[in-house]
Structures are given as C-alpha cells and as structure tokens.
Amino acid sequence: MTRSVRVLTVALLAMCLLVTAAAVVVADDPIRLGVFIPGRLGDSPPYDDLAEGAEQFALRNDGLDLVRIFEAGFDQSQWPEMLLQFAASGEYDVIYTSNEAMGPLCVGVMEQVPDIKFIVNDAYVLDYDRLYTTFFNNTQQAFLFGYMMALISTSDMENVNPDKKVGLVFGQHYVMMDEMIIPGMEQGAQYADPEFELVTTMLGNWYDAAKAEQLANTMADQGVDVFGSICGSGNAGVLSSAVNNGLYVLWYDDDGFDKAPGTVVASFIKDNKAATIRNLERLVEGTLPWGEAEVLGAEQGYIYVPLRDAGYVSSVPEAVRNQFKVVYDQVVSGELEIAVPQEVLDTINAASH
Ligand code: RBF
C-alpha cells in the first residue's frame, strides 16, 4: 500500500467513525418502559388506567418503547422478588407501577439495580433521584363520595331506608385507606347529616367476589342502603348484592355506570390515565422532576364527578343533583378546602426512608 493510499484509508475510516458517532447522538434510542402491575388487570381501575395510559402514549410517541406490561398477581409476598427480577432483566430503562406499598419496594430495588428508574402512581416519596411519585387527593374524592352517599340514602329513591347508614367494602388496610378514604367518606356523609355512620368491612384481599357479596349482604341487613366498593375484582360481589337487594353503589376511581345501570348511580373519577400520560410526556421530554412528588386533586381536574352522564342524570333525583353540585363546585374551586393531611404524606414518605 502506498503512503497516499494509507492516508486515504485512515481518513475514510475516521469519517465513517464520525458519521456513526453523529448518528448515535442524533437518533436517541426510545426509552424502554416496563409496567409492573401489583395485582391483575381487568377490575382494578388504578391499574387498568395505568396500563391503558402507557399503551396509548407509546402508540403515538416514538420516544417511548412500551416493552412489557407485567401482572404480578395477588400474592404480595412475591412482589419484592418479582420486582427485583423485572428490574434486573436489563430490558427496561424505566419501570412504571402503582400503589403506596410499591414505594419502599422500588427504593429497595434501586439500591440493587444501578440505573433503573421508577415512576409510581398513588404513592408519595421524596428525595430519590431515580424515583418520581404522583399522589391523588383521596380525601377530597372520598369526601365528595360520602356526601353523595348520604344524600342518596336520605332521598326518595326506591328502597332506601330511614337508617343513617352507608357502607364501604375495602380490600385491605393501608395508609391511604385508613387515613384518607375512610375518614374522608365519613366526613362527607356527616357533612350532609352529622348522624350518618359509615359501616366499613375489610375483604382481606383484592379478588374474592363471593365473600365480598356476603359482606355486602350482611351490611344491607344492618341497614346500609348505599355502598362504596374498593376491592378490585371483589367489586363484582358488592354489585351483585346491591342488584339483588335493590340498593345502590357509587363507583370509586372510574366510570362504573355500565357495570350495573340503575344500581351504579354515580361515579367519582380519579384520572390515573391522564396523570400517567402526563408523566410519560415529561419523561420523554426529559422534564420529569426526579426526586420530587406531586399531589393532584379536583382543582387541577384529576378528580371529578361526571354530572352530565346519563347514568347519573336518569337515576338520581334532580333535587339531590342540585344539592350535590353546590358542594362539588365549592370543592373544585377550592372554596371548600379539603386538603391532604400533611401527616399522611409524611407517613407514606417515611415508609420509603
Ligand atoms: N386497588 C385495586 O383496585 N386492585 C388491587 O388489586 C389493589 N391492590 C392493592 C394492594 C396494595 C398493597 C395497596 C396498598 C393498594 C391496593 N389497591 C388496589 C388500592 C389502590 O392502590 C387504590 O388505593 C384504590 O384503588 C383507591 O383508588
């Protein structure tokens, strides 16, 4: 090889390298997302919304590659190991999951798997630069829910009784349930009439619909005529009980009218899907404020009640709807302030430190 040929070859090689390097810099690889569902899809509004939000966003955005949606199932003792394996697989840059108990698990995994990042809905954790959490004002959502329960229970709707009792079947105890949802519902019902009692029963899992139906039947025998149900796949049992007894269910978290028209008479939406899409937008733009946590509520539009839904308008008497709307507007505008208690945020955050 003559000297000039050698120089030319080296120059060509260098150019090739430069072009390749430039291509790598210009064409960013999409962010690889894994969704970890701590439970099952299908009957759990917060999880279904998370999965749908991620799917929708990935479909129309090249910056995100939704690699997998993994259902971890109901055995919570398996979740830490499953999450660790999921994260250590090397298939994901970011893992999106949901619920308060996942905060501490994600922190544990971050310590063992370098570079992996987490976004968690329904959790509140500060100060980890690979973790971002979105929390919802469940006190506000539950307050509106309880207020409507009491209004319906004292209305002239068919089959309601004079007992000032409304009921909630819930899956298990956790901070958000014990410190926000139950007290918020109670406060809301008593805002309508201080004599109201919220009867609560724990299902003990998030799937046993047959047991949930029995629990709801027992509550109906005790005089409960309006139900809330926050127990995942167990919700179907509460619905059957209400249908069979001619009673009413209010739906928590998403739009439940079509599940049992005339039985589900109002829905109290927590827009997990919109929050998920917004977080993914910021992830892809590079503007997600890692290490921080946000609290979203009715003032920002993430908690709302569809007042124009035909299922609501055709089932709930106008006088009740008018009365509800006065308080609803006050909550949305912030005139009636139902804040998340700071101690609750501190407790949930502390569990991850
Ligand atoms: N909600 C569901 O709808 N389905 C579930 O399977 C479910 N599992 C949960 C497990 C744990 C450990 C915790 C803390 C919460 C769970 N939730 C579940 C509740 C969910 O996070 C949320 O609080 C409620 O759905 C009310 O929005």
Side-chain angles (χ1 to χ4, degrees), residues 38 44-47 74 76 79 99 101 122 138 172 174 176 181 206 230 232 252-253 270:
S44 296
Y47 302 160
F74 292 118
Q76 296 179 14
W79 292 354
N99 96 39
D122 266 335
N138 278 263
Q172 72 179 87
Y174 51 104
M176 189 200 281
I181 299 179
W206 296 90
I230 306 179
Y252 202 83
D253 283 350
K270 174 158 62 193

Side-chain angles (χ1 to χ4, degrees), residues 221-251:
D221 291 343
Q222 292 167 2
V224 168
D225 45 18
V226 183
F227 289 91
S229 183
I230 306 179
C231 51
S233 305
N235 292 341
V238 177
L239 268 183
S240 302
S241 165
V243 169
N244 293 336
N245 292 306
L247 301 176
Y248 303 101
V249 177
L250 308 190
W251 209 251

Side-chain angles (χ1 to χ4, degrees), residues 324-342:
F324 178 78
K325 190 167 184 304
V326 173
V327 171
Y328 179 63
D329 287 345
Q330 288 171 356
V331 171
V332 173
S333 70
E335 187 187 336
L336 178 56
E337 197 190 347
I338 315 276
V340 177
Q342 185 60 44

Side-chain angles (χ1 to χ4, degrees), residues 35-38 45-51 53-54 95-103 106 118-125 131-136 138 176 270-280 282 288 294 296 302 348:
V35 174
F36 185 94
I37 301 292
Y47 302 160
D48 297 340
D49 281 352
L50 164 57
I95 294 173
Y96 208 140
T97 186
S98 170
N99 96 39
E100 166 194 314
M102 296 308 290
C106 294
F118 289 98
I119 308 174
V120 191
N121 288 347
D122 266 335
Y124 187 90
V125 185
L131 176 61
Y132 182 75
T133 49
T134 289
F135 195 69
F136 298 90
N138 278 263
M176 189 200 281
K270 174 158 62 193
D271 206 340
N272 258 296
K273 189 164 155 186
T276 300
I277 290 175
R278 183 166 152 274
N279 284 343
L280 293 175
R282 291 187 292 170
L288 196 69
E294 66 182 343
L296 302 174
Y302 285 90
I348 295 178

Side-chain angles (χ1 to χ4, degrees), residues 143-161:
F143 175 89
L144 291 169
F145 194 102
Y147 184 61
M148 180 80 87
M149 285 174 120
L151 293 186
I152 290 175
S153 181
T154 45
S155 72
D156 58 6
M157 286 168 73
E158 251 180 85
N159 297 335
V160 298
N161 61 47

Side-chain angles (χ1 to χ4, degrees), residues 165-182:
K165 278 186 189 171
V166 290
L168 173 70
V169 181
F170 64 97
Q172 72 179 87
H173 285 287
Y174 51 104
V175 178
M176 189 200 281
M177 179 59 68
D178 298 343
E179 308 293 336
M180 300 179 78
I181 299 179
I182 291 174

